[in-house]
Amino acid sequence: MIQTIKAGFLPLTDAAPLIVAREMGFAAEEGLDLDLVKLPSWSVMRDYLMLGLIDTAHLLSPVPVAKALGLSGPEGRIEAIAAMNTGGNVIGVSNVIAEQMRAGGHGFDFRDARMAGEALLALGKPLRVGVPFPFSMHAELLYYWLESCGLSDPAMLAVNTVPPPLMADALAAGEIDAFCVGEPWGSLSVENGVGTLLLPTSAIRRSAIEKVLAVRGGWADDNPELSGKLLRALWRAGTWLDRPRKRATAAEIMARPDYLDLPVNLIERGLNGSFFISGGGEIRQDPHFLTFQEGAVGFPWRSQAGWIAMRIARRMGLDEAEAIRTGKACFRTDIYRRHLRDLGADLPGASEKLEGAISQPTAVPSERGRVILSPDHFFDGQVFDPEP
């Protein structure tokens, strides 16, 4: 019997696993009719999930943590039962800001986060930066990056919420000076002649968890058969997407009006990590820009939730230790292990790790032997211990 699951997504490159799971037959293989619902913003996504209008969501990884801390939206819990990807975001500035940075000697090399941050702050002017949601990896990495680069006066930074599809328009209208957003919306600002890409967020932190597969608290426990089918379909789709030769096919599918409704070549930039950073045709590469499964990316490490909780607690004036304990509980490694163990997914032996400690591919124990984890270091070398 075919079972239907309604899944919400925003038109972003990293929605690819849901779209591919439906279009390439991975969901059907599990007996699922994956009914994809395109939504306009993250606040709408959160509320649709909480109200039961959708069963599952492609969701910003900090939202379940913020919900657990009582900071975001209607009452109730959200649980992350898998990670969907790492990376996928870019930081860009207006062409006016870019010209001022170039005049100061910055070369827009797309790799050196410290140099880029210091060049931006050296302009000595207040910055209005657009991010898709207050509780997002975009916001957390933005604050982390500029604080580490010497931002001393919080009043010099105004972070404004702008839905991803509207980011280029906000930049063109002069409502923001810069942005941090998921692809392909950063590249659209370049295509429209209003923005210049400064950095991928992978230059701030490699392998930062970006989106999770989210459900209402208790849904996966109450629907074990459905959640297992969903996890297996998404795992197969993510594994398929990590094969470079498959990404052209994925871009063609995602370009359709019912998904991203944008040109194929714009979507390919984020999938392949190859960008035009300015209207002058400058090209920059980031081979680690977007990963879906390789290196146990799909595993929802509780320590990742702990780092997010620590950062939110510092910004919001909460008790850090209590926030970390609460945040870690909403990343359900037990559900991920239960449903993907027999499929051969990489399942690390531990559910927490030091965050930021891996600077090169590293083998760690797994349930089947060993798994190679990808680098996850921060640009300034900090390491987070989830059990301080």
Side-chain angles (χ1 to χ4, degrees):
M1 182 181 71
I2 299 294
Q3 295 174 289
T4 299
I5 287 185
K6 296 188 75 168
F9 75 99
L10 253 64
L12 288 156
T13 305
D14 62 15
L18 280 171
I19 296 168
V20 163
R22 174 179 172 77
E23 294 292 336
M24 296 302 297
F26 297 112
E29 187 179 9
E30 289 288 341
L32 286 181
D33 174 16
L34 198 52
D35 182 7
L36 299 184
V37 182
K38 184 160 71 172
L39 295 171
S41 72
W42 293 115
S43 58
V44 172
M45 180 76 78
R46 176 202 58 200
D47 293 351
Y48 262 52
L49 183 62
M50 296 310 300
L51 294 170
L53 299 174
I54 53 177
D55 301 306
T56 187
H58 156 243
L59 193 64
L60 299 161
S61 57
V63 173
V65 177
K67 284 286 299 167
L69 300 179
L71 295 173
S72 181
E75 287 190 9
R77 295 179 296 119
I78 294 177
E79 295 175 334
I81 59 173
M84 290 183 67
N85 64 288
T86 59
N89 301 321
V90 291
I91 294 172
V93 297
S94 70
N95 285 342
V96 172
I97 296 285
E99 289 176 11
Q100 293 170 346
M101 293 178 71
R102 290 185 195 277
H106 186 61
F108 285 80
D109 74 359
F110 216 52
R111 295 191 304 271
D112 191 328
R114 182 169 298 285
M115 186 180 296
E118 290 177 350
L120 186 59
L121 294 176
L123 298 179
K125 58 176 61 177
L127 284 172
R128 300 164 300 162
V129 185
V131 300
F133 198 65
F135 300 109
S136 61
M137 191 56 69
H138 314 76
E140 299 308 333
L141 291 180
L142 178 71
Y143 286 119
Y144 182 93
W145 170 53
L146 292 180
E147 288 168 6
S148 184
C149 288
L151 177 69
S152 56
D153 182 1
M156 295 291 282
L157 177 64
V159 177
N160 304 322
T161 299
V162 181
L166 302 180
M167 200 66 79
D169 290 342
L171 193 68
E175 297 168 1
I176 54 175
D177 306 303
F179 58 77
C180 181
V181 72
E183 278 291 280
W185 303 106
S187 286
L188 184 65
S189 77
V190 175
E191 199 69 14
N192 289 352
V194 298
T196 299
L197 301 187
L198 179 60
L199 280 177
T201 52
S202 55
I204 299 171
R205 188 190 181 187
R206 276 282 300 275
S207 308
I209 182 173
E210 173 53 33
K211 300 300 187 310
V212 294
L213 183 66
V215 296
R216 286 182 300 286
W219 185 91
D221 291 313
D222 294 340
N223 298 276
E225 183 182 6
L226 270 179
S227 56
K229 290 180 176 182
L230 179 63
L231 280 168
R232 289 191 293 271
L234 269 291
W235 183 84
R236 289 191 173 101
T239 302
W240 183 89
L241 279 160
D242 275 340
R243 300 174 194 166
R245 67 182 184 278
K246 302 295 186 184
R247 295 198 173 186
T249 300
E252 289 180 1
I253 295 169
M254 296 171 70
R256 287 167 30 187
D258 41 348
Y259 297 129
L260 271 62
D261 195 17
L262 288 169
V264 172
N265 64 3
L266 204 62
I267 298 168
E268 285 181 324
R269 297 179 197 181
L271 284 171
N272 297 329
S274 182
F275 298 92
F276 290 99
I277 67 161
S278 72
E282 299 167 278
I283 296 175
R284 300 289 185 272
Q285 311 282 344
D286 177 8
H288 311 294
F289 183 73
L290 179 61
T291 303
F292 295 102
Q293 285 294 338
E294 185 179 353
V297 160
F299 187 74
W301 295 90
R302 290 201 300 256
S303 47
Q304 292 172 328
W307 184 85
I308 293 168
M310 177 271 290
R311 293 296 304 176
I312 291 176
R314 288 186 182 178
R315 283 203 290 126
M316 307 302 291
L318 306 178
D319 180 88
E320 283 188 27
E322 178 62 22
I324 291 169
R325 185 191 65 77
T326 302
K328 288 194 295 188
C330 62
F331 273 34
R332 297 290 305 274
T333 54
D334 58 327
I335 291 173
Y336 188 88
R337 290 181 187 279
R338 184 186 313 151
H339 292 300
L340 294 182
R341 180 169 287 120
D342 293 339
L343 200 61
D346 287 326
L347 300 176
S351 293
E352 300 186 12
K353 59 183 173 65
L354 296 176
E355 293 293 328
I358 302 174
S359 58
Q360 58 186 354
T362 299
V364 299
S366 75
E367 292 192 6
R368 295 190 302 156
R370 300 176 78 79
V371 57
I372 305 296
L373 301 184
S374 299
D376 70 346
H377 55 279
F378 293 89
F379 79 100
D380 59 356
Q382 289 196 28
V383 174
F384 169 71
D385 183 348
E387 295 289 347

